[in-house]
């Protein structure tokens, strides 16, 4: 099961929501997310995180917004973490765009996990490029989610 949608709240405010069902326990999914050193092996769009997934940590995220191009975007974030459940940042990035980016791991039926990645982009150049950015992010988050699903299921079934 996969869900993806974006919503234009106003000219300078867009919401993005993606969800995927993963055939692995929440503990396994969280362990993949927390294993920032392995992102280069499986992650799309958000191709690297330097730093630890822990509350209050400073991390550096590396995005490849367009998979057809080699250009990478690097952004520093201070993250908020509820261990085993969620991590997020809410800061200004390039173009003055405020980004409220959330990663959530939830238990689902039969030992599976619902992974939700959502975002709100607002301010800065959002009024000019919000629709395009929302579409790029939605596609990128879906690619990341599919990579997370494949890696978590691989690890779960390798045990």
């Amino acid at each position: 099961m996969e869900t993806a949608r974006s919503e234009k709240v106003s000219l300078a405010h867009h919401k993005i929501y993606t969800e995927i069902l993963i055939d692995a326990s929440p503990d396994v999914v969280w362990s993949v997310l927390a294993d920032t050193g392995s992102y280069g092996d499986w992650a799309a769009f958000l191709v690297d995180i330097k730093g630890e997934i822990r509350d209050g940590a400073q991390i550096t995220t590396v995005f490849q917004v367009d998979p057809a191009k080699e250009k990478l975007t690097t952004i520093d974030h201070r993250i908020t973490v509820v261990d085993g459940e969620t991590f997020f940042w809410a800061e200004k990035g390039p173009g003055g765009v405020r980004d409220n980016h959330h990663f959530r791991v939830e238990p689902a039926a039969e030992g599976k996990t619902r992974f939700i990645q959502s975002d709100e982009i607002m301010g800065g150049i959002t009024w000019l490029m919000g629709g395009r950015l929302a579409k790029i992010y939605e596609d990128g988050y879906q690619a990341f989610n599919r990579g997370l699903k494949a890696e978590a299921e691989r690890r779960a079934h390798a045990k």
Side-chain angles (χ1 to χ4, degrees), residues 131-147:
R132 183 168 178 262
L133 286 173
K135 179 63 177 148
I136 289 168
Y137 287 13
E138 182 182 323
D139 291 348
Y141 296 171
Q142 285 182 286
F144 178 91
N145 296 357
R146 289 178 194 130

Side-chain angles (χ1 to χ4, degrees), residues 24-130:
S25 72
D27 288 344
V28 169
V29 175
W30 186 261
S31 73
V32 175
L33 287 169
D35 181 8
T36 57
S38 74
Y39 275 51
D41 297 332
W42 62 264
F45 191 75
L46 174 55
V47 296
D48 192 16
I49 292 182
K50 294 178 180 15
E52 292 181 55
I53 304 298
R54 64 175 167 74
D55 194 43
Q58 182 78 28
I59 61 169
T60 301
T61 56
V62 181
F63 294 92
Q64 186 174 20
V65 177
D66 183 347
K69 298 178 181 173
E70 289 192 26
K71 182 177 186 275
L72 300 175
T73 302
T74 302
I75 306 172
D76 293 325
H77 297 288
R78 177 142 331 265
I79 60 172
T80 300
V81 177
V82 177
D83 199 40
E85 295 178 20
T86 187
F87 71 96
F88 67 93
W89 56 77
E91 297 170 333
K92 284 187 181 175
V97 175
R98 183 164 180 85
D99 178 34
N100 294 319
H101 197 152
H102 289 255
F103 301 79
R104 176 171 287 288
V105 173
E106 297 179 351
E110 300 172 7
K112 296 181 181 181
T113 301
R114 177 176 295 103
F115 176 69
I116 299 166
Q117 185 173 188
S118 62
D119 205 345
E120 284 186 90
I121 53 174
M122 61 195 92
I125 63 169
T126 306
W127 67 272
L128 178 63
M129 306 218 11

Side-chain angles (χ1 to χ4, degrees), residues 1-3 19-22 114 149:
M1 177 193 91
E2 260 187 88
T3 301
E19 174 182 322
I20 196 164
L21 190 62
I22 300 173
R114 177 176 295 103
K149 174 182 173 70

